[in-house]
């Protein structure tokens, strides 16, 4: 009986690691999402309050492949972070930077980076469906 219980607990833990939790596999709802619509991998996604002089920690734990989306909460930006105006910085696999300042972010927003190393656009799709687009010029 003990072996069976241990086996069931181990199986549940493994399933939790794969699906995000025992008992259904539903994914966690995040405050924000970042989608990579470039043709290259993203190695760093940074969001910081506009008044900060530094970017802070990278939000992604691994590369964000082309076409992929990651989710995170405002608390990953900072302990007291919440809906506000932020600077967004992204670095791709070729060390090209995509930066834009003063972007309004709210709970439920999706930040999409598209374009290429010559011209790019960050589009914020808000939870209510409204979109704000920010043109930027990438640099190395």
């Amino acid at each position: 009986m003990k072996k069976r219980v241990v086996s069931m607990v181990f199986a549940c833990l493994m399933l939790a690691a794969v699906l995000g939790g025992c008992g259904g596999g539903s994914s966690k709802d995040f405050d924000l999402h970042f989608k990579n619509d470039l043709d290259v991998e993203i190695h760093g996604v940074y969001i910081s309050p506009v008044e900060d002089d530094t970017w802070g920690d990278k939000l992604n734990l691994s590369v964000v492949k082309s076409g992929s989306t990651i989710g995170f909460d405002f608390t990953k930006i900072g302990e007291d972070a919440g809906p506000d105006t932020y600077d967004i910085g992204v670095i791709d696999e070729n060390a090209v930077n995509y930066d834009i300042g003063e972007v309004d972010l709210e709970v439920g927003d999706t930040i999409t980076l598209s374009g290429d190393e010559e011209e790019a656009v960050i589009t914020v799709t808000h939870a209510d469906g409204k979109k704000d687009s920010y043109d930027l010029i990438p640099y190395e």
Side-chain angles (χ1 to χ4, degrees):
M1 181 69 174
K2 285 184 182 178
K3 283 185 180 180
R4 184 174 181 190
V5 170
V6 169
S7 295
M8 286 175 37
V9 169
F10 179 74
C12 188
L13 290 173
M14 293 304 294
L15 186 61
V18 173
L19 297 178
C22 291
S26 63
S27 64
K28 179 186 183 313
D29 290 325
F30 292 100
D31 291 343
L32 299 167
H33 290 88
F34 172 83
K35 181 175 183 188
N36 176 13
D37 262 356
L38 299 177
D39 290 333
V40 295
E41 293 179 343
I42 298 300
H43 286 201
V45 177
Y46 301 86
I47 298 178
S48 67
V50 294
E51 62 273 357
D52 286 4
D53 293 331
T54 60
W55 284 109
D57 294 333
K58 179 167 64 165
L59 298 176
N60 54 311
L61 299 176
S62 61
V63 299
V64 184
K65 296 190 181 292
S66 179
S68 294
T69 302
I70 61 168
F72 53 92
D73 292 321
F74 276 110
T75 55
K76 184 107 176 170
I77 298 170
E79 188 176 306
D80 296 326
D84 206 342
T85 304
Y86 293 92
D87 295 334
I88 300 173
V90 178
I91 300 173
D92 74 14
E93 66 184 82
N94 300 312
V96 174
N97 292 275
Y98 305 82
D99 299 347
I100 195 73
E102 299 186 16
V103 177
D104 292 328
L105 296 177
E106 305 165 7
V107 173
D109 287 355
T110 298
I111 304 158
T112 304
L113 176 60
S114 58
D116 57 35
E117 67 277 353
E118 300 296 323
E119 293 181 17
V121 175
I122 286 182
T123 303
V124 178
T125 304
H126 300 285
D128 65 4
K130 181 183 160 213
K131 293 184 179 186
D132 295 317
S133 294
Y134 305 85
D135 296 324
L136 58 100
I137 298 175
Y139 64 94
E140 285 188 63

